[in-house]
């Protein structure tokens, strides 16, 4: 059994403080260790470790509780067709959340407000209240983390280190302020990846619909309904495009807004192909046929690229976790014998 040794820190100048334990850290970590022991006793560092564990568990709770989609659900279109009638033409309706604090939360600069709203729409948050919720989350998390840092050093202030406590609390506040920004960027990348992976299938389905006699508007609407169970982000964007077509909005602007919302290079190229086909009067079906073949080849190339990178990643992992223990097992006994032999020399 390994015995844990704690040391007491005293503020009496006449009594020397006990030396740190053999395994105690140095530098900034040692200062934090001593401050926690002074404030909370010998178990203070363990209180901090438990608090960090609880915080990490709370942050990981949304990921754990998120329900994963069943791959077999993509073959069921009954609910998708029923929910298609519930799609409204306006996707930026205001649900009234934090409306009373709108003047304090939303930026006064119109360009900054527009850029933030565009970023949130790319992440999938299309409500008009998303901007208010975003800025409220940043302020609330920063304040909560600041209070948490102050609580750690001020609950039992026997001899707190005020400068270090202020710096620690400020660091936690900055961390809490940046959490919503990191979350939104992560959602944008995840949504973009889902759209990019599902777009070649959507192109094939759209081509089949147009060769069956449907127009581009009807093909997008049908594909948007059929892909609601397998590719929800792309399905939502296609339904928005279909609704804007029916509302009489200019086709070029609708397609460009579609490419801007998705922020995917393949969709931007697809929109360019459609606009050029409409401008020069060429066959849209023929253009889609060529572009769909290119999308399939592109997806295959991405899969081959990931497959080619996999051996390199496996090699690095093998070298990092297999070679050092192997060298230690093979060379360790010989190294110990050499040290014992050298100890006999004067």
């Amino acid at each position: 059994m390994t015995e844990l040794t704690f040391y007491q820190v005293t503020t009496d100048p006449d009594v020397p403080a006990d030396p740190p334990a053999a395994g105690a850290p140095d530098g900034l970590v040692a200062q934090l260790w001593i401050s926690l022991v002074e404030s909370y006793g010998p178990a203070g560092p363990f209180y901090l470790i438990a608090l960090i564990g609880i915080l990490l568990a709370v942050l990981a709770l949304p990921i754990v509780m998120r329900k994963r989609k069943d791959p077999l659900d993509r073959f069921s279109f009954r609910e998708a067709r029923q929910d298609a009638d519930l799609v409204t033409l306006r996707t930026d309706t205001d649900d009234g959340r934090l409306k009373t604090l709108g003047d304090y939360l939303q930026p006064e600069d119109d360009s900054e407000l527009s850029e933030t709203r565009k970023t949130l729409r790319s992440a999938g948050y299309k409500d008009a209240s998303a901007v208010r919720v975003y800025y409220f989350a940043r302020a609330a998390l920063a304040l909560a983390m600041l209070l948490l840092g102050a609580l750690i050093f001020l609950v039992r202030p026997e001899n707190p280190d005020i400068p270090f406590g202020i710096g620690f609390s400020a660091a936690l506040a900055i961390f809490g302020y940046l959490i919503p920004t990191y979350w939104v960027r992560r959602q944008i990348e995840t949504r973009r990846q889902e759209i990019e992976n599902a777009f070649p299938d959507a192109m094939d389905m759209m081509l089949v619909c147009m060769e069956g006699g449907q127009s581009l508007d009807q093909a997008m609407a049908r594909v948007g309904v059929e892909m609601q169970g397998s590719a929800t982000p792309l399905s939502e964007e296609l339904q928005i495009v279909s609704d804007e077509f029916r509302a009489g909005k200019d086709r070029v602007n609708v397609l460009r807004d579609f490419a801007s919302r998705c922020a995917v290079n393949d969709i931007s190229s697809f929109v360019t192909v459609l606009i050029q086909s409409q401008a020069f009067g060429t066959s849209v079906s023929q253009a889609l046929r060529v572009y769909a073949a290119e999308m399939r080849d592109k997806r295959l190339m991405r899969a081959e690229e990931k497959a080619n990178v996999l051996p390199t990643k496996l090699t690095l992992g093998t070298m990092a976790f297999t070679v050092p223990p192997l060298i230690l097992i093979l060379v360790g006994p010989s190294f110990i014998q050499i040290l014992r032999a050298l100890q006999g020399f004067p």
Side-chain angles (χ1 to χ4, degrees):
M1 295 293 292
T2 302
E3 183 178 358
L4 297 178
T5 303
F6 300 99
Y7 62 93
Q8 300 291 337
V9 178
T10 179
T11 57
D12 192 355
D14 299 331
V15 179
D18 294 339
D26 298 330
L28 184 62
V29 179
Q31 186 179 3
L32 176 62
W33 184 289
I34 296 174
S35 179
L36 291 174
V37 170
E38 290 177 352
S39 301
Y40 303 101
F46 296 97
Y47 294 156
L48 178 61
I49 295 174
L51 184 62
I52 294 175
I54 295 174
L55 180 61
L56 293 177
V58 171
L59 293 177
L61 188 62
I63 301 176
V64 176
M65 297 298 292
R66 183 175 59 183
K67 183 179 179 181
R68 296 186 178 274
K69 295 181 180 179
D70 189 353
L72 297 178
D73 291 342
R74 63 183 301 177
F75 300 105
S76 177
F77 305 109
R78 181 179 301 174
E79 296 180 357
R81 291 193 181 98
Q82 292 177 356
D83 296 338
D85 298 334
L86 302 178
V87 179
T88 58
L89 187 60
R90 293 297 301 272
T91 59
D92 57 349
T93 56
D94 194 348
D95 54 6
R97 287 183 296 180
L98 304 175
K99 192 173 183 179
T100 56
L101 301 177
D103 296 336
Y104 303 98
L105 296 176
Q106 293 182 355
E108 297 181 356
D109 189 4
D110 294 337
S111 60
E112 182 180 357
L113 179 61
S114 177
E115 186 67 23
T116 304
R117 185 177 288 114
K118 180 181 177 181
T119 303
L120 293 176
R121 285 179 64 89
S122 299
Y125 304 106
K126 301 180 178 63
D127 296 334
S129 61
V131 178
R132 297 195 296 266
V133 174
Y134 172 68
Y135 282 102
F136 177 78
R138 294 173 68 178
L141 285 176
L143 181 60
M145 299 299 286
L146 179 64
L147 294 178
L148 178 62
L151 185 64
I152 294 176
F153 287 90
L154 298 179
V155 169
R156 298 174 60 184
E158 297 178 1
N159 188 15
D161 189 353
I162 300 300
F164 182 77
I166 294 176
F168 182 73
S169 302
L172 287 180
I174 295 174
F175 174 72
Y177 183 79
L178 295 178
I179 287 178
T181 303
Y182 171 76
W183 175 263
V184 170
R185 291 180 180 177
R186 186 71 179 270
Q187 289 297 108
I188 291 175
E189 183 61 26
T190 302
R191 191 169 184 269
R192 187 193 66 80
Q193 192 67 32
E194 292 179 0
I195 293 176
E196 186 177 6
N197 293 335
F199 187 65
D201 296 332
M203 289 290 301
D204 293 334
M205 296 175 63
M206 203 178 303
L207 179 60
V208 171
C209 293
M210 295 190 66
E211 289 182 345
Q214 293 183 346
S215 63
L216 178 62
D217 307 354
Q218 296 172 344
M220 284 189 171
R222 181 60 182 272
V223 172
V225 173
E226 297 295 336
M227 297 193 69
Q228 191 168 3
S230 59
T232 303
L234 182 59
S235 173
E236 293 176 353
E237 295 298 335
L238 290 176
Q239 290 178 9
I240 292 174
V241 172
S242 178
D243 291 337
E244 290 180 346
F245 280 156
R246 290 200 299 266
K249 190 175 179 180
D250 184 64
R251 299 175 64 88
V252 176
N253 294 332
V254 171
L255 294 175
R256 287 177 177 172
D257 292 342
F258 172 51
S260 177
R261 289 194 304 269
C262 295
V264 177
N265 294 331
D266 295 341
I267 295 182
S268 300
S269 302
F270 167 71
V271 169
T272 302
V273 169
L274 291 182
I275 293 175
Q276 290 179 353
S277 299
Q278 182 179 356
F280 295 106
T282 58
S283 175
V284 178
S285 300
Q286 182 64 26
L288 287 181
R289 185 180 296 107
V290 175
Y291 194 73
E294 292 181 358
M295 288 296 99
R296 287 193 296 270
D297 296 339
K298 206 170 184 180
R299 181 169 60 180
L300 181 60
M301 291 174 60
R302 286 198 297 264
E304 292 177 351
E305 181 181 355
K306 291 182 179 180
N308 294 331
V309 173
L310 185 59
T312 305
K313 294 182 178 180
L314 291 177
T315 303
L316 294 177
T318 303
M319 294 176 60
F321 298 103
T322 304
V323 176
L326 183 61
I327 294 177
L328 182 62
I329 293 173
L330 296 177
V331 183
S334 302
F335 185 72
I336 293 174
Q337 292 180 2
I338 292 173
L339 291 179
R340 290 177 177 175
L342 293 176
Q343 287 179 357
F345 288 92

